[in-house]
Amino acid sequence: MGCLTPNPIRRDRNLRLIAIPAEVADRTYHVYVIALSTEVARNRRFAGANRRRNPSLPCVYVGSTALPPEQRFEQHLNGYKANRFVRKYGLELVPKLFERYNPIETRKEAELTEQHLAERLRRQGYGVWYG
């Protein structure tokens, strides 16, 4: 005999309790890293954001998504909600740089993890674009 499990309850922006629909409650998020061609370093905006880039390390894009990273990468390449650097210079996913962070429970956590990972890689000398 199965029992019904109620929808999870969270608080909205005004701290009111709200039920979360099951299909949303089960959603997980991911951060991902895409290797970019070093040609991207010639772009003025990219270079300006990465003044301390170590030329021996790759250039990367860091993002977050509710989709599997492979599917989101394909969307970038096909121009759907694509970052212009990924669309023009995207090479491949770099799982070793992001796998340990996934899955992530909420969009907010995913966005914070994206920013943290991007800034961490930039401090290490990677050329990084994110957002």
Side-chain angles (χ1 to χ4, degrees), residues 1 16-17 31 34-35 40 47 55-56 60 67 69 73-74 78 83 95 98 103 109 113 118 125 128:
M1 179 174 196
R16 293 179 297 220
L17 292 174
V31 291
I34 297 172
V40 72
S56 68
V60 297
L67 301 172
F73 178 51
E74 288 299 319
N78 293 325
N83 173 272
F98 67 83
E109 285 179 79
T113 303
V128 178

Side-chain angles (χ1 to χ4, degrees), residues 52 115-126 128:
R52 296 183 180 155
Q115 181 178 0
H116 168 79
L117 177 56
E119 291 172 356
R120 182 172 165 257
L121 292 172
R122 188 173 279 153
R123 281 192 306 273
Q124 291 175 4
Y126 287 80
V128 178

Side-chain angles (χ1 to χ4, degrees), residues 46-104:
F46 189 92
N50 293 284
R51 296 188 191 282
R52 296 183 180 155
R53 183 177 86 84
N54 179 342
S56 68
L57 291 174
C59 295
V60 297
Y61 174 82
V62 180
S64 60
T65 182
L67 301 172
E70 299 79 11
Q71 187 177 348
R72 182 65 185 109
F73 178 51
E74 288 299 319
Q75 286 182 337
H76 276 291
L77 296 181
N78 293 325
Y80 181 73
K81 295 185 178 180
N83 173 272
R84 66 185 179 141
F85 294 137
V86 176
R87 185 153 189 216
K88 187 170 182 180
Y89 302 106
L91 300 174
E92 63 187 352
L93 286 168
V94 189
K96 71 178 183 178
L97 294 178
F98 67 83
E99 281 181 331
R100 68 175 160 226
Y101 299 102
N102 295 328
I104 301 169

